[in-house]
Amino acid sequence: MFPSDEFFIFGLLAFLVAHILYAWEFSLHKGASRSGVSWTAVPFGVFASTMLALLMPGAAREGAVVQAGVVVYTVAIAFMAYKATLTGKSLLVLGTILFCISDSILAWDKFVQACDWSQYAVMTTYYAAQLCIAMSFS
């Protein structure tokens, strides 16, 4: 996605901040559940665990900083998607799941196996995710 891998960590950090801000916004949303951990956390925990198991060998080849970034980022995006489920907004949940799919394809392409179609799949799911998230608040 980037012309050079040297910019990857900066993109990772920028999107990490975005996911944290999204999760915070979802927590503030009227109607968001404030009670403890919900059963809806389970699929996102499974998602994060599975992605990390698949990505860590490739991320480890990139060095400790990238490896740590992948762990933190994966947890953050799963947490963001989980927080969306607590709002009760199905379009928001769909948007965050599409965001997870987009980033999973991007990560797979970078750390596991490059795919010719990944750029198109990443951008399609990313824009669909943003559209769903934006429309859920209108």
Side-chain angles (χ1 to χ4, degrees):
M1 296 302 301
F2 289 112
S4 172
D5 283 344
E6 67 189 58
F7 296 112
F8 177 78
I9 197 72
F10 296 112
L12 187 79
L13 289 171
F15 276 85
L16 173 63
V17 170
H19 294 311
I20 292 168
L21 292 174
Y22 267 142
W24 178 56
E25 168 60 29
F26 302 160
S27 297
L28 299 175
H29 186 267
K30 182 181 177 184
S33 173
R34 305 262 191 257
S35 60
V37 176
S38 166
W39 66 269
T40 59
V42 173
F44 297 108
V46 170
F47 160 75
S49 300
T50 302
M51 287 306 298
L52 287 172
L54 295 170
L55 299 175
M56 289 318 326
R61 288 190 291 275
E62 300 285 329
V65 171
V66 171
Q67 192 174 18
V70 168
V71 170
V72 171
Y73 188 90
T74 303
V75 170
I77 195 168
F79 181 71
M80 176 204 61
Y82 161 68
K83 293 301 278 187
T85 66
L86 301 180
T87 67
K89 292 181 165 235
S90 57
L91 198 54
L92 179 59
V93 174
L94 175 61
T96 59
I97 289 171
L98 287 169
F99 215 147
C100 289
I101 292 168
S102 173
D103 284 0
S104 296
I105 296 167
L106 181 67
W108 184 271
D109 185 68
K110 176 148 181 69
F111 298 116
V112 180
Q113 181 179 351
C115 304
D116 294 336
W117 49 266
S118 66
Q119 182 176 358
Y120 303 107
V122 167
M123 297 312 293
T124 301
T125 53
Y126 171 75
Y127 285 120
Q130 294 304 318
L131 180 63
C132 289
I133 291 169
M135 289 178 60
S136 74
F137 285 101
S138 59

Short mmCIF file of all heavy atoms in Angstrom, two decimals, residues 47-98:
data_model
loop_
_atom_site.label_atom_id
_atom_site.label_comp_id
_atom_site.label_asym_id
_atom_site.label_seq_id
_atom_site.Cartn_x
_atom_site.Cartn_y
_atom_site.Cartn_z
N PHE A 47 -10.74 -13.39 17.06
CA PHE A 47 -10.18 -12.73 15.88
C PHE A 47 -8.76 -12.25 16.14
O PHE A 47 -7.84 -12.55 15.36
CB PHE A 47 -11.08 -11.56 15.46
CG PHE A 47 -10.38 -10.55 14.58
CD1 PHE A 47 -10.12 -10.82 13.25
CD2 PHE A 47 -9.96 -9.33 15.11
CE1 PHE A 47 -9.46 -9.89 12.44
CE2 PHE A 47 -9.31 -8.41 14.32
CZ PHE A 47 -9.06 -8.68 12.99
N ALA A 48 -8.56 -11.51 17.23
CA ALA A 48 -7.24 -10.96 17.53
C ALA A 48 -6.22 -12.07 17.76
O ALA A 48 -5.10 -12.02 17.24
CB ALA A 48 -7.31 -10.04 18.76
N SER A 49 -6.60 -13.09 18.51
CA SER A 49 -5.69 -14.20 18.78
C SER A 49 -5.29 -14.94 17.51
O SER A 49 -4.12 -15.27 17.30
CB SER A 49 -6.33 -15.20 19.76
OG SER A 49 -6.63 -14.56 20.96
N THR A 50 -6.27 -15.18 16.65
CA THR A 50 -6.01 -15.88 15.39
C THR A 50 -5.11 -15.05 14.48
O THR A 50 -4.13 -15.56 13.91
CB THR A 50 -7.33 -16.21 14.67
OG1 THR A 50 -8.14 -17.00 15.53
CG2 THR A 50 -7.08 -16.95 13.36
N MET A 51 -5.43 -13.77 14.34
CA MET A 51 -4.61 -12.91 13.49
C MET A 51 -3.18 -12.84 14.01
O MET A 51 -2.23 -12.92 13.22
CB MET A 51 -5.21 -11.51 13.38
CG MET A 51 -6.46 -11.44 12.53
SD MET A 51 -6.27 -12.13 10.86
CE MET A 51 -5.02 -11.08 10.16
N LEU A 52 -3.02 -12.71 15.31
CA LEU A 52 -1.66 -12.63 15.86
C LEU A 52 -0.89 -13.92 15.63
O LEU A 52 0.30 -13.89 15.29
CB LEU A 52 -1.70 -12.28 17.35
CG LEU A 52 -2.09 -10.82 17.63
CD1 LEU A 52 -2.29 -10.60 19.12
CD2 LEU A 52 -1.03 -9.87 17.07
N ALA A 53 -1.56 -15.05 15.79
CA ALA A 53 -0.89 -16.34 15.56
C ALA A 53 -0.42 -16.44 14.10
O ALA A 53 0.67 -16.96 13.83
CB ALA A 53 -1.82 -17.49 15.90
N LEU A 54 -1.23 -15.93 13.17
CA LEU A 54 -0.87 -15.99 11.75
C LEU A 54 0.17 -14.95 11.35
O LEU A 54 1.00 -15.20 10.48
CB LEU A 54 -2.13 -15.81 10.89
CG LEU A 54 -3.19 -16.91 11.01
CD1 LEU A 54 -4.47 -16.48 10.32
CD2 LEU A 54 -2.66 -18.22 10.45
N LEU A 55 0.12 -13.78 11.97
CA LEU A 55 0.99 -12.67 11.57
C LEU A 55 2.35 -12.63 12.25
O LEU A 55 3.31 -12.09 11.69
CB LEU A 55 0.28 -11.34 11.83
CG LEU A 55 -1.02 -11.09 11.08
CD1 LEU A 55 -1.65 -9.79 11.55
CD2 LEU A 55 -0.79 -11.08 9.59
N MET A 56 2.45 -13.18 13.46
CA MET A 56 3.67 -12.99 14.24
C MET A 56 4.94 -13.54 13.59
O MET A 56 5.99 -12.88 13.68
CB MET A 56 3.52 -13.56 15.65
CG MET A 56 2.59 -12.80 16.56
SD MET A 56 2.57 -11.00 16.64
CE MET A 56 4.12 -10.38 16.40
N PRO A 57 4.91 -14.68 12.91
CA PRO A 57 6.16 -15.13 12.28
C PRO A 57 6.69 -14.10 11.26
O PRO A 57 7.89 -13.78 11.26
CB PRO A 57 5.77 -16.44 11.59
CG PRO A 57 4.62 -16.96 12.40
CD PRO A 57 3.87 -15.72 12.81
N GLY A 58 5.83 -13.55 10.44
CA GLY A 58 6.26 -12.54 9.47
C GLY A 58 6.63 -11.23 10.11
O GLY A 58 7.59 -10.57 9.71
N ALA A 59 5.88 -10.81 11.13
CA ALA A 59 6.18 -9.56 11.83
C ALA A 59 7.51 -9.67 12.57
O ALA A 59 8.26 -8.70 12.65
CB ALA A 59 5.06 -9.22 12.81
N ALA A 60 7.81 -10.84 13.08
CA ALA A 60 9.08 -11.06 13.80
C ALA A 60 10.27 -10.83 12.88
O ALA A 60 11.32 -10.33 13.32
CB ALA A 60 9.12 -12.45 14.40
N ARG A 61 10.12 -11.16 11.61
CA ARG A 61 11.21 -10.94 10.64
C ARG A 61 11.47 -9.45 10.41
O ARG A 61 12.55 -9.06 9.97
CB ARG A 61 10.89 -11.62 9.31
CG ARG A 61 10.99 -13.13 9.39
CD ARG A 61 10.92 -13.77 8.01
NE ARG A 61 9.60 -13.67 7.39
CZ ARG A 61 8.60 -14.53 7.60
NH1 ARG A 61 8.77 -15.57 8.41
NH2 ARG A 61 7.45 -14.37 6.99
N GLU A 62 10.49 -8.62 10.72
CA GLU A 62 10.62 -7.16 10.54
C GLU A 62 11.27 -6.48 11.75
O GLU A 62 11.59 -5.31 11.68
CB GLU A 62 9.24 -6.53 10.30
CG GLU A 62 8.51 -7.06 9.09
CD GLU A 62 9.08 -6.53 7.80
OE1 GLU A 62 9.59 -5.39 7.78
OE2 GLU A 62 9.04 -7.26 6.80
N GLY A 63 11.39 -7.20 12.85
CA GLY A 63 12.02 -6.63 14.03
C GLY A 63 11.04 -6.46 15.19
O GLY A 63 9.82 -6.54 15.03
N ALA A 64 11.61 -6.21 16.35
CA ALA A 64 10.84 -6.14 17.59
C ALA A 64 9.85 -4.98 17.61
O ALA A 64 8.74 -5.10 18.14
CB ALA A 64 11.77 -6.06 18.80
N VAL A 65 10.23 -3.85 17.03
CA VAL A 65 9.34 -2.67 17.04
C VAL A 65 8.09 -2.96 16.22
O VAL A 65 6.97 -2.69 16.66
CB VAL A 65 10.07 -1.42 16.52
CG1 VAL A 65 9.11 -0.26 16.33
CG2 VAL A 65 11.19 -1.02 17.47
N VAL A 66 8.26 -3.52 15.03
CA VAL A 66 7.11 -3.85 14.19
C VAL A 66 6.27 -4.93 14.85
O VAL A 66 5.04 -4.86 14.86
CB VAL A 66 7.57 -4.27 12.77
CG1 VAL A 66 6.40 -4.83 11.97
CG2 VAL A 66 8.20 -3.10 12.05
N GLN A 67 6.93 -5.92 15.41
CA GLN A 67 6.21 -7.01 16.08
C GLN A 67 5.35 -6.46 17.22
O GLN A 67 4.17 -6.81 17.34
CB GLN A 67 7.21 -8.04 16.60
CG GLN A 67 6.60 -9.32 17.04
CD GLN A 67 7.65 -10.36 17.40
OE1 GLN A 67 8.81 -10.04 17.62
NE2 GLN A 67 7.24 -11.61 17.45
N ALA A 68 5.92 -5.60 18.05
CA ALA A 68 5.15 -5.00 19.15
C ALA A 68 4.01 -4.14 18.61
O ALA A 68 2.89 -4.16 19.14
CB ALA A 68 6.07 -4.16 20.04
N GLY A 69 4.28 -3.41 17.54
CA GLY A 69 3.24 -2.58 16.93
C GLY A 69 2.08 -3.40 16.41
O GLY A 69 0.92 -3.01 16.56
N VAL A 70 2.38 -4.55 15.82
CA VAL A 70 1.33 -5.42 15.31
C VAL A 70 0.46 -5.95 16.45
O VAL A 70 -0.76 -6.00 16.34
CB VAL A 70 1.93 -6.57 14.46
CG1 VAL A 70 0.90 -7.64 14.17
CG2 VAL A 70 2.52 -6.02 13.18
N VAL A 71 1.08 -6.30 17.56
CA VAL A 71 0.32 -6.78 18.72
C VAL A 71 -0.60 -5.68 19.25
O VAL A 71 -1.81 -5.90 19.42
CB VAL A 71 1.26 -7.28 19.84
CG1 VAL A 71 0.48 -7.56 21.12
CG2 VAL A 71 2.02 -8.52 19.39
N VAL A 72 -0.06 -4.51 19.48
CA VAL A 72 -0.86 -3.41 20.03
C VAL A 72 -1.98 -3.02 19.06
O VAL A 72 -3.12 -2.83 19.46
CB VAL A 72 0.04 -2.20 20.36
CG1 VAL A 72 -0.79 -0.98 20.73
CG2 VAL A 72 1.01 -2.55 21.49
N TYR A 73 -1.64 -2.94 17.79
CA TYR A 73 -2.63 -2.56 16.77
C TYR A 73 -3.75 -3.58 16.67
O TYR A 73 -4.93 -3.21 16.59
CB TYR A 73 -1.93 -2.41 15.42
CG TYR A 73 -2.83 -1.85 14.36
CD1 TYR A 73 -2.91 -0.48 14.15
CD2 TYR A 73 -3.61 -2.68 13.56
CE1 TYR A 73 -3.75 0.05 13.19
CE2 TYR A 73 -4.45 -2.15 12.60
CZ TYR A 73 -4.52 -0.80 12.41
OH TYR A 73 -5.34 -0.27 11.47
N THR A 74 -3.41 -4.85 16.67
CA THR A 74 -4.43 -5.90 16.57
C THR A 74 -5.38 -5.87 17.75
O THR A 74 -6.60 -5.99 17.59
CB THR A 74 -3.76 -7.29 16.43
OG1 THR A 74 -2.90 -7.26 15.29
CG2 THR A 74 -4.78 -8.39 16.29
N VAL A 75 -4.84 -5.69 18.93
CA VAL A 75 -5.69 -5.59 20.13
C VAL A 75 -6.57 -4.34 20.04
O VAL A 75 -7.76 -4.39 20.35
CB VAL A 75 -4.82 -5.59 21.41
CG1 VAL A 75 -5.65 -5.24 22.63
CG2 VAL A 75 -4.12 -6.93 21.58
N ALA A 76 -6.00 -3.23 19.57
CA ALA A 76 -6.76 -1.98 19.49
C ALA A 76 -7.92 -2.08 18.49
O ALA A 76 -9.03 -1.62 18.79
CB ALA A 76 -5.84 -0.83 19.10
N ILE A 77 -7.68 -2.68 17.33
CA ILE A 77 -8.77 -2.74 16.34
C ILE A 77 -9.86 -3.72 16.80
O ILE A 77 -11.05 -3.46 16.61
CB ILE A 77 -8.26 -3.07 14.92
CG1 ILE A 77 -9.36 -2.74 13.90
CG2 ILE A 77 -7.78 -4.49 14.80
CD1 ILE A 77 -8.91 -2.75 12.47
N ALA A 78 -9.46 -4.80 17.46
CA ALA A 78 -10.46 -5.73 17.99
C ALA A 78 -11.26 -5.05 19.11
O ALA A 78 -12.49 -5.22 19.19
CB ALA A 78 -9.78 -6.99 18.51
N PHE A 79 -10.60 -4.27 19.95
CA PHE A 79 -11.27 -3.55 21.02
C PHE A 79 -12.24 -2.52 20.44
O PHE A 79 -13.37 -2.37 20.93
CB PHE A 79 -10.25 -2.88 21.94
CG PHE A 79 -10.86 -2.14 23.09
CD1 PHE A 79 -11.47 -2.82 24.13
CD2 PHE A 79 -10.84 -0.75 23.12
CE1 PHE A 79 -12.05 -2.14 25.19
CE2 PHE A 79 -11.41 -0.06 24.18
CZ PHE A 79 -12.02 -0.75 25.21
N MET A 80 -11.82 -1.82 19.39
CA MET A 80 -12.69 -0.83 18.74
C MET A 80 -13.96 -1.51 18.22
O MET A 80 -15.07 -1.02 18.43
CB MET A 80 -11.96 -0.14 17.59
CG MET A 80 -12.84 0.82 16.83
SD MET A 80 -12.33 1.16 15.13
CE MET A 80 -12.40 -0.44 14.37
N ALA A 81 -13.80 -2.64 17.56
CA ALA A 81 -14.96 -3.36 17.02
C ALA A 81 -15.87 -3.85 18.15
O ALA A 81 -17.10 -3.77 18.05
CB ALA A 81 -14.50 -4.52 16.14
N TYR A 82 -15.26 -4.34 19.21
CA TYR A 82 -16.05 -4.77 20.37
C TYR A 82 -16.85 -3.60 20.94
O TYR A 82 -18.04 -3.73 21.23
CB TYR A 82 -15.12 -5.36 21.44
CG TYR A 82 -15.74 -5.41 22.80
CD1 TYR A 82 -16.80 -6.27 23.08
CD2 TYR A 82 -15.28 -4.59 23.83
CE1 TYR A 82 -17.39 -6.30 24.33
CE2 TYR A 82 -15.85 -4.62 25.08
CZ TYR A 82 -16.91 -5.47 25.33
OH TYR A 82 -17.49 -5.49 26.57
N LYS A 83 -16.22 -2.44 21.09
CA LYS A 83 -16.91 -1.27 21.64
C LYS A 83 -18.09 -0.88 20.75
O LYS A 83 -19.12 -0.40 21.24
CB LYS A 83 -15.96 -0.09 21.83
CG LYS A 83 -14.90 -0.31 22.89
CD LYS A 83 -15.48 -0.59 24.25
CE LYS A 83 -15.88 0.66 24.96
NZ LYS A 83 -16.30 0.45 26.36
N ALA A 84 -17.96 -1.08 19.44
CA ALA A 84 -19.06 -0.77 18.53
C ALA A 84 -20.27 -1.64 18.83
O ALA A 84 -21.41 -1.18 18.73
CB ALA A 84 -18.60 -0.96 17.08
N THR A 85 -20.04 -2.90 19.20
CA THR A 85 -21.18 -3.79 19.49
C THR A 85 -21.97 -3.30 20.69
O THR A 85 -23.17 -3.58 20.78
CB THR A 85 -20.72 -5.25 19.75
OG1 THR A 85 -19.96 -5.31 20.95
CG2 THR A 85 -19.93 -5.80 18.58
N LEU A 86 -21.34 -2.59 21.58
CA LEU A 86 -22.03 -2.12 22.78
C LEU A 86 -22.96 -0.94 22.52
O LEU A 86 -23.75 -0.58 23.38
CB LEU A 86 -21.01 -1.75 23.86
CG LEU A 86 -20.08 -2.89 24.31
CD1 LEU A 86 -19.13 -2.41 25.39
CD2 LEU A 86 -20.87 -4.10 24.79
N THR A 87 -22.85 -0.35 21.33
CA THR A 87 -23.73 0.78 20.99
C THR A 87 -25.09 0.32 20.51
O THR A 87 -26.03 1.11 20.49
CB THR A 87 -23.11 1.67 19.89
OG1 THR A 87 -23.06 0.93 18.67
CG2 THR A 87 -21.72 2.17 20.28
N GLY A 88 -25.18 -0.92 20.06
CA GLY A 88 -26.44 -1.42 19.53
C GLY A 88 -26.73 -0.96 18.12
O GLY A 88 -27.82 -1.17 17.60
N LYS A 89 -25.75 -0.34 17.46
CA LYS A 89 -25.94 0.16 16.09
C LYS A 89 -25.38 -0.85 15.10
O LYS A 89 -24.16 -1.00 14.99
CB LYS A 89 -25.25 1.51 15.92
CG LYS A 89 -25.87 2.63 16.70
CD LYS A 89 -25.11 3.92 16.43
CE LYS A 89 -25.94 5.07 16.89
NZ LYS A 89 -26.16 6.04 15.85
N SER A 90 -26.24 -1.51 14.38
CA SER A 90 -25.79 -2.58 13.49
C SER A 90 -24.92 -2.06 12.34
O SER A 90 -23.96 -2.72 11.93
CB SER A 90 -26.97 -3.38 12.94
OG SER A 90 -27.87 -2.54 12.29
N LEU A 91 -25.20 -0.89 11.84
CA LEU A 91 -24.40 -0.33 10.76
C LEU A 91 -22.98 0.02 11.26
O LEU A 91 -22.00 -0.16 10.53
CB LEU A 91 -25.07 0.91 10.17
CG LEU A 91 -24.61 1.37 8.80
CD1 LEU A 91 -24.68 0.26 7.76
CD2 LEU A 91 -25.44 2.56 8.34
N LEU A 92 -22.89 0.47 12.48
CA LEU A 92 -21.59 0.76 13.09
C LEU A 92 -20.80 -0.54 13.27
O LEU A 92 -19.61 -0.59 12.97
CB LEU A 92 -21.77 1.46 14.43
CG LEU A 92 -20.50 1.81 15.20
CD1 LEU A 92 -19.59 2.72 14.38
CD2 LEU A 92 -20.85 2.44 16.53
N VAL A 93 -21.46 -1.57 13.74
CA VAL A 93 -20.80 -2.87 13.91
C VAL A 93 -20.31 -3.38 12.57
O VAL A 93 -19.15 -3.83 12.44
CB VAL A 93 -21.74 -3.89 14.59
CG1 VAL A 93 -21.10 -5.26 14.64
CG2 VAL A 93 -22.10 -3.42 16.00
N LEU A 94 -21.14 -3.28 11.54
CA LEU A 94 -20.73 -3.71 10.21
C LEU A 94 -19.50 -2.92 9.75
O LEU A 94 -18.55 -3.50 9.21
CB LEU A 94 -21.88 -3.53 9.21
CG LEU A 94 -21.55 -3.83 7.74
CD1 LEU A 94 -21.10 -5.29 7.57
CD2 LEU A 94 -22.74 -3.51 6.86
N GLY A 95 -19.52 -1.63 9.98
CA GLY A 95 -18.38 -0.79 9.59
C GLY A 95 -17.09 -1.20 10.29
O GLY A 95 -16.03 -1.28 9.65
N THR A 96 -17.17 -1.49 11.56
CA THR A 96 -15.94 -1.87 12.28
C THR A 96 -15.47 -3.27 11.87
O THR A 96 -14.27 -3.52 11.82
CB THR A 96 -16.11 -1.76 13.80
OG1 THR A 96 -17.18 -2.61 14.23
CG2 THR A 96 -16.37 -0.33 14.23
N ILE A 97 -16.40 -4.14 11.56
CA ILE A 97 -16.01 -5.48 11.07
C ILE A 97 -15.35 -5.35 9.70
O ILE A 97 -14.32 -6.00 9.43
CB ILE A 97 -17.21 -6.43 11.05
CG1 ILE A 97 -17.61 -6.79 12.48
CG2 ILE A 97 -16.89 -7.69 10.24
CD1 ILE A 97 -18.91 -7.55 12.60
N LEU A 98 -15.88 -4.50 8.84
CA LEU A 98 -15.24 -4.26 7.54
C LEU A 98 -13.85 -3.65 7.72
O LEU A 98 -12.92 -3.98 6.97
CB LEU A 98 -16.11 -3.34 6.67
CG LEU A 98 -17.36 -3.98 6.09
CD1 LEU A 98 -18.27 -2.91 5.49
CD2 LEU A 98 -16.99 -5.03 5.05
#
